[in-house]
Amino acid sequence: MLLIDFNILVIALYRSPSGNVKEFNLILDNLLQDLNKHNFKIVICTDWNIDINKKVAINMDSILLLKSYNIFCTNYAPTRENSCLDNILTDLDS
């Protein structure tokens, strides 16, 4: 069986540590809007350099964006030092 048999789209996503998070979120939102039209299930492998465990506004904006598409993070454990910067994001049933 192939992922296409399950209508699953796997995406690799990277944001440079110096990249603008607001701009990144706008691009991600546009991508998710387009994908939402096709009824794909989504798995996003990220190295997005956003520490989801730090409860600051810019990080929370990213999490809220994902939640608006019913996408959640699968990991909250540190991936580099004490920060959770890499993740698998998905809208698949847990």
Side-chain angles (χ1 to χ4, degrees):
M1 281 189 214
L2 301 172
L3 289 177
I4 198 163
D5 295 333
F6 296 100
N7 208 31
I8 297 173
L9 183 63
V10 178
I11 301 167
L13 197 60
Y14 174 76
R15 186 189 70 82
S16 167
S18 62
N20 183 300
V21 176
K22 287 184 180 184
E23 184 177 327
F24 176 84
N25 284 343
L26 285 173
I27 293 168
L28 179 58
D29 188 27
N30 288 334
L31 172 66
L32 293 173
Q33 281 179 27
D34 287 343
L35 294 177
N36 206 31
K37 297 173 190 173
H38 300 286
N39 203 28
F40 289 116
K41 288 296 186 178
I42 300 169
V43 175
I44 305 173
C45 307
T46 65
D47 178 1
W48 62 348
N49 292 294
I50 296 171
D51 188 353
I52 62 169
N53 291 331
K54 285 189 179 173
K55 306 298 184 207
V56 295
I58 197 73
N59 295 0
M60 297 311 295
D61 287 347
S62 300
I63 300 301
L64 291 173
L65 170 63
L66 295 173
K67 284 184 180 182
S68 73
Y69 290 97
N70 295 317
I71 296 173
F72 62 93
C73 299
T74 61
N75 177 52
Y76 289 88
T79 56
R80 282 184 261 161
E81 298 177 7
N82 293 325
S83 301
C84 183
L85 304 174
D86 311 298
N87 222 307
I88 302 296
L89 315 172
T90 187
D91 63 352
L92 292 171
D93 296 331
S94 58

